[in-house]
Amino acid sequence: MNQTLIIVTPVFAIMACGWLFAHRQLISDAGINGIVNFIFYLAIPAVIFRTLASGSVQQQFSPSLLLAYYGAAIPHFLFCWWVSRRLFRQAVDTSSLAAMAGTFSNLVLIGLPLIQRAYGPAGLVPVMLIVMVHSPILFTLTTLGVTLGRSNGAAGGIGRIVWNSLRSVISNPIAAAALGGLVYGSLGLPFPSLLNDTLALLGEAAAPTSLFAVGATLAACKLGGDLIEAVVMAVLKVTVLPVLVWLLTRYVIDVPSGWSTILILSAAMPTGANAYVMARKYNCYTQRATAIVVLSTVISVFTLTALIALLPPL
């Protein structure tokens, strides 16, 4: 347990620094937005591209990895939708946004830094493969649910929704870096030392700035809406989803040795801010989505610490 605390304490301490800076108004909203842009457009893409461009990921790729994660995430999304719809009597579109908040993991800002610190570069490989299709899959499910709910079940435009969601991969800098790195690594092209050093330097800034940005962003979040539903969705996110992934990797799907640990931790990450972004886009569920992001992040301090201590190493 002492070793686990050594791993996780600095991670959450940097998040606390971000929260304190924003709470004390030592950094403005514009400053936070600038840091987030740096993370999404430069720092994280640099880490992802450099890792995948080496070609080692392609040699280790296994479809079972994605099947194990999304074989749990998609049913979990549907279960969260059912809980919101039946237990809390929400409309179809609202339940879809609740399902998004109960399933979408913060893999980029918290997952990558934490897993890299706990397991080194080898732990980043499965996370990056999950990240590549994370947004397209869950964004598409959410958009379909909201659209169908607001069109009284009409099926028109589903093809356009799916296509637009898949097309977003190209315009997303993180997904684009992943695809570019995979292609580069598959071609076996030499990696110039100058490019490698530049990306490595950018990548070193990714972890601390990401964690700082999460803490600073949380300082502006206010709990609101139906807190009972928010608590339920937050708990489902950080407990039930990782349990489903554990069951699949232990009893159903054979994944490369050690990668099951990374898959379970990825599933146990708190809700990502994209859940709030989607809710704001549709002008629905915004307060509860915000509360789920905050509550799941607070709860994950304890659940992630416990999982890192209990799960086998790579």
Side-chain angles (χ1 to χ4, degrees):
M1 180 57 75
N2 287 339
Q3 183 61 34
T4 301
L5 292 176
I6 291 174
I7 292 171
V8 302
T9 299
V11 170
F12 293 112
I14 294 175
M15 290 173 58
C17 288
W19 182 90
L20 182 62
F21 263 62
H23 182 69
R24 301 288 297 177
Q25 298 182 343
L26 297 175
I27 185 171
S28 65
D29 291 341
I32 297 172
N33 289 335
I35 292 175
V36 171
N37 285 337
F38 167 75
I39 295 165
F40 275 99
Y41 286 94
L42 278 177
I44 294 294
V47 173
I48 293 177
F49 182 86
R50 181 170 177 262
T51 302
L52 297 179
S54 67
S56 60
V57 175
Q58 292 83 330
Q59 298 172 4
Q60 302 177 67
F61 176 75
S62 172
S64 62
L65 177 78
L66 297 179
L67 184 60
Y69 188 86
Y70 291 104
I74 293 174
H76 180 79
F77 180 96
L78 297 175
F79 175 70
C80 288
W81 183 91
W82 181 87
V83 169
S84 178
R85 181 89 171 111
R86 300 302 179 189
L87 184 61
F88 295 103
R89 305 296 182 184
Q90 300 293 347
V92 172
D93 58 343
T94 305
S95 295
S96 300
L97 294 167
M100 172 75 169
T103 308
F104 193 90
S105 290
N106 194 335
L107 294 175
V108 173
L109 295 182
I110 297 180
L112 287 174
L114 180 60
I115 289 174
Q116 183 178 30
R117 177 168 175 79
Y119 303 102
L124 296 180
V125 174
V127 183
M128 291 179 183
L129 294 174
I130 294 170
V131 166
M132 284 182 59
V133 293
H134 194 224
S135 292
I137 289 176
L138 294 180
F139 275 36
T140 299
L141 286 174
T142 305
T143 303
L144 285 172
V146 172
T147 303
L148 291 176
R150 293 183 175 183
S151 60
N152 296 319
I158 290 180
R160 178 177 55 81
I161 294 169
V162 174
W163 167 246
N164 287 339
S165 297
L166 295 177
R167 191 176 60 179
S168 68
V169 174
I170 300 174
S171 60
N172 184 300
I174 293 173
L179 290 174
L182 283 172
V183 172
Y184 195 100
S186 299
L187 294 175
L189 298 173
F191 206 66
S193 59
L194 182 60
L195 176 61
N196 180 68
D197 292 345
T198 301
L199 294 178
L201 191 59
L202 280 170
E204 289 177 1
T209 53
S210 297
L211 296 170
F212 183 92
V214 170
T217 302
L218 289 178
C221 294
K222 307 297 182 183
L223 297 180
D226 187 343
L227 288 182
I228 296 178
E229 181 178 358
V231 169
V232 170
M233 290 300 167
V235 171
L236 289 176
K237 173 65 197 71
V238 299
T239 59
V240 175
L241 182 54
V243 168
L244 290 177
V245 173
W246 175 77
L247 290 172
L248 279 181
T249 56
R250 184 172 178 85
Y251 298 108
V252 181
I253 300 173
D254 184 28
V255 298
S257 177
W259 281 18
S260 60
T261 292
I262 305 301
L263 292 178
I264 294 168
L265 282 176
S266 297
M269 293 297 158
T271 299
N274 276 328
Y276 166 77
V277 172
M278 289 289 284
R280 187 169 181 176
K281 174 183 177 181
Y282 291 109
N283 193 28
C284 177
Y285 207 74
T286 52
Q287 286 188 319
R288 277 164 289 181
T290 302
I292 292 168
V293 171
V294 174
L295 291 170
S296 63
T297 302
V298 172
I299 298 171
S300 71
V301 173
F302 306 99
T303 55
L304 288 173
T305 301
L307 285 173
I308 291 174
L310 295 173
L311 291 171
L314 296 185

